[in-house]
Amino acid sequence: RKEVEQDPGPFNVPEGATVAFNCTYSNSASQSFFWYRQDCRKEPKLLMSVYSSGNEDGRFTAQLNRASQYISLLIRDSKLSDSATYLCVVNKNDYKLSFGAGTTVTVRA
Amino acid sequence: DGGITQSPKYLFRKEGQNVTLSCEQNLNHDAMYWYRQDPGQGLRLIYYSQIVNDFQKGDIAEGYSVSREKKESFPLTVTSAQKNPTAFYLCASSSPGQGETQYFGPGTRLLVL
């Protein structure tokens, strides 16, 4: 079983729509969780950390479900610029992270 | 501006050749990492270094070597023993004060001729 699993998508949505997707992780001892955004042929960039109580950053909302070991990301009012691959990242220990293969989102005009 | 730089952006390797990828950071981060990204796969850790003059193997270290002689620099050598080196190589760094958040350089694409 992979340490972090994501639905690869693609999720094709119109501008203004809401899109949501999850990732699951296998290590119940994981303590830190992140969503990174990666544009085509570019480096990953931190989108947001995910906290136990859930957190919001503008149009983006992240949730953590420790009991079921999954993390979700919801994007409201999608913009064309939100088109990217979203990487789910979970820590293995203090210095090592596990990366999902990514979920591709395409927002169309 | 603080950040992480990688060079070159593209690198071509001939069979049997060793090549070295550069990674420099001016963020004053203690820890640095090298990852490899292949299409449709998550990033895989090659090597990491928590402090100067110390480094550990990651999940796919075979065929690679690193050094950490300076805090700012963490070069990666892809040796001829790495039989499938074509990939996107990403360097990252992190600071204990920021938890495990890692920040990435722009990457180097390595292609085999």
Side-chain angles (χ1 to χ4, degrees):
Chain A
R1 182 184 174 187
K2 292 182 180 178
E3 293 174 348
V4 179
E5 297 205 55
Q6 295 184 249
D7 181 345
F11 288 75
N12 291 306
V13 299
E15 270 188 295
T18 295
V19 59
F21 42 88
N22 298 335
C23 88
T24 58
Y25 61 94
S26 61
N27 186 352
S28 60
S30 296
Q31 294 296 319
S32 300
F33 309 88
F34 310 89
W35 284 104
Y36 279 73
R37 171 198 169 119
Q38 186 173 26
D39 294 298
C40 187
R41 303 179 73 82
K42 300 286 189 181
E43 74 274 24
K45 294 185 178 179
L46 180 67
L47 179 66
M48 58 198 302
S49 301
V50 185
Y51 303 119
S52 296
S53 56
N55 49 300
E56 193 173 301
D57 184 0
R59 297 180 294 104
F60 297 84
T61 300
Q63 295 281 351
L64 169 63
N65 185 315
R66 286 189 184 273
S68 300
Q69 295 183 207
Y70 75 84
I71 308 150
S72 65
L73 182 66
L74 182 146
I75 307 173
R76 285 186 301 278
D77 188 22
S78 299
K79 311 292 185 189
L80 294 176
S81 57
D82 294 334
S83 297
T85 296
Y86 292 86
L87 307 180
C88 176
V89 184
V90 176
N91 86 311
K92 294 166 71 169
N93 58 37
D94 283 346
Y95 284 91
K96 296 175 73 173
L97 300 178
S98 294
F99 288 77
T103 296
T104 298
V105 173
T106 302
V107 181
R108 61 183 188 275
Chain B
D1 286 338
I4 305 174
T5 57
Q6 291 185 241
S7 63
K9 187 172 181 179
Y10 295 96
L11 185 58
F12 299 91
R13 194 192 90 164
K14 296 179 181 178
E15 293 287 342
Q17 187 180 40
N18 292 353
V19 292
T20 298
L21 285 60
S22 169
C23 177
E24 303 277 334
Q25 55 98 1
N26 61 6
L27 299 168
N28 200 33
H29 286 172
D30 291 309
M32 297 185 74
Y33 313 80
W34 274 106
Y35 293 92
R36 167 182 174 139
Q37 188 175 35
D38 295 279
Q41 297 190 37
L43 277 66
R44 292 183 290 168
L45 183 65
I46 304 172
Y47 269 97
Y48 65 105
S49 168
Q50 300 176 18
I51 198 167
V52 175
N53 293 321
D54 185 53
F55 50 83
Q56 286 80 41
K57 293 182 179 180
D59 301 317
I60 54 165
E62 186 175 350
Y64 300 97
S65 65
V66 294
S67 63
R68 186 85 186 278
E69 298 176 0
K70 299 187 299 181
K71 187 175 185 178
E72 300 80 17
S73 178
F74 191 39
L76 173 74
T77 296
V78 183
T79 74
S80 57
Q82 173 48 245
K83 298 307 178 188
N84 185 23
T86 297
F88 187 37
Y89 290 86
L90 289 156
C91 177
S93 68
S94 69
S95 171
Q98 297 174 344
E100 299 88 358
T101 305
Q102 295 183 14
Y103 299 91
F104 288 85
T108 293
R109 290 198 180 274
L110 176 61
L111 299 169
V112 177
L113 295 177

